[in-house]
């Protein structure tokens, strides 16, 4: 079904084709994050990312993968019979054909979410898609890549996520929440860096500060550990 072509470019982006995508994996699991946590979901993981976050848990998606046509991706997705589909990466928006894939998934009736770093323009994403967009905290090493213009392209059903690795990340997040009035835009998720910050500690901080945000733990890592394809 698929052919293996050239490797992604050195900056982590792949060729900008409109009818096929370089895919690391398509798998069926429980949603581990955001507001559909726990729902059986098909995950479509696109290859390549222009960022290099220090805590990245999907570095295996930086290179490799295989080219699949959009019709092949849709066929693999249909075979699982799920209601929810998450397009993730890597950074999915680094590949041009991500946008038509999202549109086709919505047209097919799926409840679609997109996990994105927040570093690339999200304005072209189909408005039916729930965007789960990161604001990169200082511990990621990539906070200079945050594209704040994206905040204007978020809808109330979207979600903003910050991975908190230590107290200084938390203080930065609190400042961002206040400066940009983030809870007025959409739900804000604070997620403790897995193995870096105890979830209970983060819970205590956000309760003490009366923050209008949600604590998020990554369900799949509690169920199966930090393994690819789960
Ligand atoms: S944006 Fe996501 S995939 Fe890219 S380096 Fe950061 S955590 Fe990893």
């Amino acid at each position: 079904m698929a052919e293996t072509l050239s490797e992604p470019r050195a900056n982590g982006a792949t060729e900008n084709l409109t009818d096929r995508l370089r895919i690391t994996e398509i798998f069926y699991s429980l949603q581990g994050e955001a507001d559909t946590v726990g729902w059986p979901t098909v995950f479509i993981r696109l290859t390549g990312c222009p960022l290099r976050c220090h805590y990245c848990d999907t570095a295996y998606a930086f290179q490799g993968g295989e080219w699949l046509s959009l019709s092949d991706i849709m066929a693999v997705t249909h075979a699982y019979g799920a209601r929810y589909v998450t397009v993730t990466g890597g950074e999915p928006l680094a590949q041009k054909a991500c946008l038509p894939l999202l549109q086709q998934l919505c047209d097919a009736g799926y409840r679609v979410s997109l996990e994105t770093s927040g570093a690339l323009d999200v304005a072209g994403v189909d408005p039916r898609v729930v965007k789960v967009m990161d604001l990169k905290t200082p511990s990621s090493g990539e906070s200079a890549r945050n594209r704040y213009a994206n905040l204007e392209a978020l809808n109330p059903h979207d979600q903003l996520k910050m991975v908190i690795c230590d107290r200084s990340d938390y203080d930065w997040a609190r400042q961002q929440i206040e400066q940009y009035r983030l809870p007025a835009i959409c739900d804000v998720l604070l997620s403790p860096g897995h193995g870096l910050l105890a979830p209970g500690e983060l819970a205590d901080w956000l309760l003490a500060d009366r923050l209008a945000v949600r604590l998020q733990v990554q369900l799949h890592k509690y169920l199966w550990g930090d393994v690819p394809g789960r």
Side-chain angles (χ1 to χ4, degrees):
M1 184 163 59
E3 59 177 334
T4 300
L5 299 179
S6 58
E7 290 296 305
R9 291 171 182 165
N11 65 0
T14 50
E15 293 176 52
N16 266 333
L17 303 170
T18 55
D19 59 352
R20 58 183 175 165
L21 287 161
R22 186 176 275 277
I23 299 292
T24 293
E25 57 186 351
I26 301 175
F27 62 97
Y28 180 65
S29 187
L30 297 183
Q31 176 57 262
E33 304 187 34
D35 68 355
T36 56
V37 64
W39 282 107
T41 300
V42 177
F43 293 84
I44 304 171
R45 188 180 305 286
L46 276 59
T47 306
C49 181
L51 280 68
R52 291 294 180 268
C53 304
H54 293 152
Y55 52 68
C56 183
D57 57 3
T58 52
Y60 64 94
F62 290 165
Q63 304 285 338
E66 60 181 352
W67 289 106
L68 290 178
S69 67
L70 296 191
S71 60
D72 282 345
I73 295 168
M74 294 299 292
V76 173
T77 302
H78 290 328
Y80 287 109
R83 184 178 176 204
Y84 293 88
V85 177
T86 294
V87 176
T88 186
E91 168 49 71
L93 294 176
Q95 296 191 59
K96 202 170 184 177
C98 181
L99 295 181
L101 173 67
L102 292 167
Q103 187 174 9
Q104 288 187 28
L105 289 167
C106 290
D107 290 346
Y110 292 111
R111 294 179 66 170
V112 182
S113 62
L114 168 72
E115 296 180 340
T116 179
S117 65
L120 303 182
D121 188 358
V122 302
V125 174
D126 190 301
R128 294 170 291 179
V129 172
V130 173
K131 296 183 285 291
V132 182
M133 192 182 91
D134 285 0
L135 269 186
K136 293 297 182 187
T137 51
S139 286
S140 72
E142 293 283 21
S143 56
R145 305 290 293 269
N146 287 325
R147 188 179 186 279
Y148 285 93
N150 278 339
L151 296 177
E152 295 169 17
L154 295 179
N155 297 311
H157 70 188
D158 293 330
Q159 292 152 74
L160 267 169
K161 174 182 149 189
M162 288 181 267
V163 176
I164 309 297
C165 298
D166 54 28
R167 179 71 200 197
S168 60
D169 272 356
Y170 173 79
D171 290 337
W172 180 89
R174 191 179 54 184
Q175 182 268 332
Q176 299 284 298
I177 288 165
E178 292 171 3
Q179 179 176 348
Y180 295 101
R181 298 173 172 265
L182 300 180
I185 299 173
C186 64
D187 282 356
V188 177
L189 313 173
L190 297 190
S191 183
H194 191 76
L196 300 171
L197 177 64
E201 196 163 4
L202 178 56
D204 287 340
W205 293 343
L206 69 88
L207 287 171
D209 287 337
R210 307 285 197 271
L211 294 189
V213 302
R214 296 176 70 178
L215 175 71
Q216 164 178 279
V217 294
Q218 294 174 296
L219 175 66
H220 50 294
K221 292 185 180 175
Y222 286 87
L223 294 174
W224 299 300
D226 191 2
V227 295
R230 302 302 302 261

